[in-house]
Amino acid sequence: MDRIPSVDLKDFISDDPKRKQKFINDIGKAYEDIGFVALKGHFLDDSLVDNLYGEVKNFFDLPKPVKESYEIPGIGGQRGYVSFGKESAKGKKEGDLKEFWHFGQYADDDAERRKEYPENVEVQELPEFNKVGKQTYQMLEKTAKYVLRALALYLNLEETYFDKYIHNGNSILRPIHYPPITEEPKNAVRAAAHGDINLITLLMGAQGRGLQVQRNDGEWIDAIAEPDELMINVGDMLSRHSNNKLKSTIHRVINPPRELWGTSRYSMPFFMHPVSEMKLDVLESCIDEDNPKQFEDITAGEFLNERLIELGLIKK
């Protein structure tokens, strides 16, 4: 496989059973083979995307002391600003060449659940920033819900199996800025090779070359989306839950060629997380003689905490 398969969510939500089943089969096979798809037919419209990019660029253009005033201590970077080089991939000591922001769950309909999460951070200098961020978050969350419904059916579960776990789940929208490179990086790249922690990741901003996915044979291939597509991949939680039937694939963001060092790159991953108490125990439907249980029982909250320690965002 030399390119990422493309699917259209409109097929799944159509009233045509054949189109719906084809979508289920195609996305399921892609996630078994490579762990990534490019998705058309999502719920983001062009004006919302344009507004978000505008607001995000405005934020990262703010003076460094202003941005750093939104870096909140003691919450593992789960809300607000995370400064350049702070995060590193699992097992890698060099920090990634990026800075980013986190929008988190709003839980507007559940006061008890809201207490579980840090509050979102309001940027005073940009009155539209938080509003546009919330709208984008909710449209990506809606898109993710339907993708997970298709995967539930592919795994021989009830279509709405994931709904109760992702409603008010601990999902994160992360606008990332990869600044221009000003000197030869010492063993550092924009994002080192890693797998994602969560159930699925929906990525805006994969239109240019940079994101690469590692095939089963170890070769790296470019993952480039069309302008109307999101790149969506399986995370470790879903891989674990499905006994690695659905693959959480290692991926990275490489540095651009030297002639493009002076340019910024922006990308916006939405990390779809369930509520913390969801059990990630391997599904019985994914265990058989040829595929014995590969993972110990654990909850989503326990797994997330382990991984944030490994990434250096939470100190032991």
Side-chain angles (χ1 to χ4, degrees):
M1 184 180 290
D2 294 322
R3 61 185 301 277
I4 303 301
S6 182
V7 294
D8 191 331
L9 189 60
K10 288 190 174 72
D11 291 335
F12 182 73
I13 57 181
S14 73
D15 292 326
D16 183 338
K18 288 184 179 177
R19 284 176 65 190
K20 182 174 182 176
Q21 189 59 51
K22 183 177 187 306
F23 179 91
I24 295 165
N25 295 343
D26 288 350
I27 197 170
K29 184 176 188 310
Y31 283 160
E32 284 199 38
D33 291 345
I34 190 73
F36 272 73
V37 296
L39 182 98
K40 300 181 189 296
H42 49 76
F43 295 104
L44 291 172
D45 62 48
D46 291 343
S47 62
L48 180 56
V49 172
D50 290 345
N51 289 343
L52 180 68
Y53 272 98
E55 291 299 320
V56 164
K57 288 176 182 176
N58 288 340
F59 175 78
F60 288 118
D61 284 344
L62 289 172
K64 187 178 177 185
V66 176
K67 289 187 289 188
E68 289 179 343
S69 72
Y70 293 110
E71 197 156 16
I72 311 301
I75 59 170
Q78 290 300 288
R79 299 290 185 274
Y81 179 64
V82 178
S83 52
F84 183 82
K86 185 72 66 80
E87 185 181 69
S88 59
K90 179 181 175 182
K92 192 168 171 66
K93 63 180 185 295
E94 294 85 9
D96 288 344
L97 305 178
K98 66 189 181 192
E99 57 180 343
F100 53 92
W101 180 271
H102 275 157
F103 296 103
Q105 181 58 258
Y106 297 88
D108 290 334
D109 62 349
D110 189 338
E112 284 305 305
R113 183 68 70 182
R114 251 194 332 272
K115 293 176 187 174
E116 187 180 327
Y117 302 133
E119 285 190 27
N120 278 292
V121 179
E122 296 284 328
V123 176
Q124 301 303 319
E125 291 80 2
L126 301 170
E128 294 298 303
F129 179 79
N130 290 87
K131 184 172 83 171
V132 172
K134 183 175 183 178
Q135 289 172 333
T136 307
Y137 184 106
Q138 291 173 334
M139 289 301 100
L140 288 166
E141 191 173 42
K142 182 178 179 182
T143 300
K145 178 173 75 172
Y146 284 97
V147 170
L148 285 171
R149 284 183 177 183
L151 295 178
L153 292 169
Y154 189 75
L155 294 171
N156 298 313
L157 302 167
E158 287 290 327
E159 181 172 342
T160 57
Y161 169 82
F162 289 103
D163 284 21
K164 63 182 178 294
Y165 298 122
I166 62 172
H167 179 65
N168 290 331
N170 193 18
S171 299
I172 291 282
L173 173 60
R174 173 189 282 190
I176 302 172
H177 175 222
Y178 302 103
I181 297 171
T182 56
E183 59 184 9
E184 186 74 44
K186 294 180 175 62
N187 298 320
V189 293
R190 284 183 158 174
H194 65 283
D196 291 342
I197 301 170
N198 41 295
L199 291 172
I200 56 174
T201 301
L202 291 72
L203 178 66
M204 305 167 61
Q207 279 74 41
R209 188 169 184 269
L211 177 64
Q212 293 189 328
V213 176
Q214 191 171 38
R215 295 189 316 208
N216 292 334
D217 63 3
E219 289 295 310
W220 291 94
I221 63 170
D222 290 325
I224 301 175
E226 295 297 323
D228 62 342
E229 291 179 330
L230 299 172
M231 198 64 73
I232 306 185
N233 63 281
V234 174
D236 291 348
M237 288 184 183
L238 184 55
S239 177
R240 190 182 186 106
H241 201 38
S242 67
N243 206 29
N244 207 32
K245 180 180 176 73
L246 307 179
K247 302 290 189 296
S248 177
T249 305
I250 299 296
H251 52 284
R252 65 187 182 186
V253 180
I254 59 171
N255 296 332
R258 187 178 284 269
E259 62 268 22
L260 295 177
W261 276 13
T263 59
S264 285
R265 177 187 174 97
Y266 297 89
S267 68
M268 320 265 180
F270 177 77
F271 301 110
M272 169 58 85
H273 281 263
V275 292
S276 59
E277 65 269 22
M278 179 185 180
K279 292 183 182 341
L280 299 178
D281 308 2
V282 173
L283 293 162
E284 290 296 327
S285 62
C286 296
I287 301 172
D288 57 34
E289 283 187 13
D290 297 325
N291 300 284
K293 182 179 176 181
Q294 296 184 45
F295 303 101
E296 295 299 312
D297 296 349
I298 195 169
T299 66
E302 291 164 345
F303 184 67
L304 174 61
N305 194 63
E306 281 183 10
R307 291 294 301 275
L308 290 177
I309 291 170
E310 290 171 347
L311 293 174
L313 290 173
I314 290 181
K315 306 300 179 190
K316 281 187 179 178

